[in-house]
């Protein structure tokens, strides 16, 4: 039985007067998590019930000015910062076919072509870097990488024996691999060339993948 997704990928946005409530709720959740507080801890600090705070975070109730002031004080943020997400411009990165920026990553060897397909570091606190990687007969032996964050690979062409930590995975077209990038990783053997695959790296905005 497939695992239930935490978010609905087909959900459509409905722009209404509730947008402000949703924006306040989203900012509240972001600040609460940044401070490492549970809903119960923050609710106790504010002097409200867990249910009330949960409704605020989910955009299901309009908090009074008194409650918003208590919220900003408990989170140690300006009151106006709770409205930051309302009508905020959201980033998008559109790259036409063949126009990805050629990029060098730390440790990259000769013949390893990296095309950066976009870069977003939004208010979510996460930076996402998608690469299209091409390996050919001219590519040197691949070094292993280690960096913070999560990496997702999707094999498009060719065949690789890909290392992650002590494990070796055979990657063929249509295969995917997602892993903690803090462990040594990279193609161990290039079995069928040319090889092309997508590499999507996600890491905290204040850090940088190497």
């Amino acid at each position: 039985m497939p695992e239930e997704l935490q978010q609905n990928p087909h959900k459509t946005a409905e722009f209404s007067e509730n947008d402000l409530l949703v924006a306040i709720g989203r900012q509240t959740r972001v600040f609460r998590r940044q401070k490492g507080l549970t809903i119960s801890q923050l609710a106790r600090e504010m002097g409200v019930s867990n249910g009330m705070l949960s409704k605020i975070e989910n955009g299901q109730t309009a908090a009074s000015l008194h409650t918003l002031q208590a919220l900003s004080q408990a989170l140690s943020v300006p009151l106006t910062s709770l409205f930051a997400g309302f009508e905020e411009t959201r980033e998008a990165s559109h790259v036409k076919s063949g126009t990805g920026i050629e990029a060098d990553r730390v440790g990259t060897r000769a013949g390893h072509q990296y095309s950066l397909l976009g870069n977003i570091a939004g208010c979510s606190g996460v930076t996402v870097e998608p690469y299209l990687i091409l390996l050919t007969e001219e590519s040197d032996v691949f070094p292993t990488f280690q960096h913070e964050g999560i990496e997702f690979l999707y094999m498009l062409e060719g065949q690789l024996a890909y290392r992650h930590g002590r494990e070796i995975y055979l990657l063929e077209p249509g295969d995917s691999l997602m892993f903690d990038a803090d462990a040594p990783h990279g193609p161990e053997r290039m079995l069928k060339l040319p090889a092309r695959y997508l590499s999507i790296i996600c890491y905290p905005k204040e850090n940088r993948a190497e």
Side-chain angles (χ1 to χ4, degrees), residues 54-130:
S54 180
K55 286 183 178 180
I56 292 174
E57 286 199 358
N58 290 307
Q60 296 174 346
T61 188
S64 67
L65 180 58
H66 174 77
T67 300
L68 291 177
Q69 287 177 328
L71 181 58
S72 69
Q73 290 173 0
L75 292 171
S76 300
V77 298
L79 180 61
T80 54
S81 66
L82 297 175
F83 303 88
F86 185 59
E87 294 186 344
E88 180 179 343
T89 301
R90 301 296 177 177
E91 291 184 84
S93 181
H94 180 210
V95 178
K96 296 292 289 183
S97 176
T99 63
I101 300 172
E102 298 304 313
D104 289 325
R105 292 180 62 203
V106 175
T108 301
R109 301 292 181 88
H112 294 252
Q113 180 180 325
Y114 282 73
S115 296
L116 182 61
L117 302 181
N119 181 276
I120 286 182
C123 66
S124 63
V126 175
T127 295
V128 180
E129 293 182 354

Side-chain angles (χ1 to χ4, degrees), residues 105-168:
R105 292 180 62 203
V106 175
T108 301
R109 301 292 181 88
H112 294 252
Q113 180 180 325
Y114 282 73
S115 296
L116 182 61
L117 302 181
N119 181 276
I120 286 182
C123 66
S124 63
V126 175
T127 295
V128 180
E129 293 182 354
Y131 294 92
L132 177 62
I133 300 175
L134 174 63
L135 307 180
T136 67
E137 297 287 352
E138 299 177 356
S139 300
D140 287 347
V141 175
F142 208 99
T144 56
F145 290 107
Q146 282 182 269
H147 53 83
E148 292 187 84
I150 300 296
E151 187 162 352
F152 174 81
L153 306 181
Y154 185 80
M155 199 70 185
L156 298 170
E157 179 183 6
Q159 189 179 79
L160 298 174
Y162 197 94
R163 171 178 293 280
H164 177 253
R166 298 181 180 180
E167 300 294 327
I168 302 293

Side-chain angles (χ1 to χ4, degrees), residues 28 30-31 37 57 68 137 159 170 172 180:
T28 298
V30 168
F31 290 137
L37 297 174
E57 286 199 358
L68 291 177
E137 297 287 352
Q159 189 179 79
L170 175 62
E172 300 175 299
D180 182 342

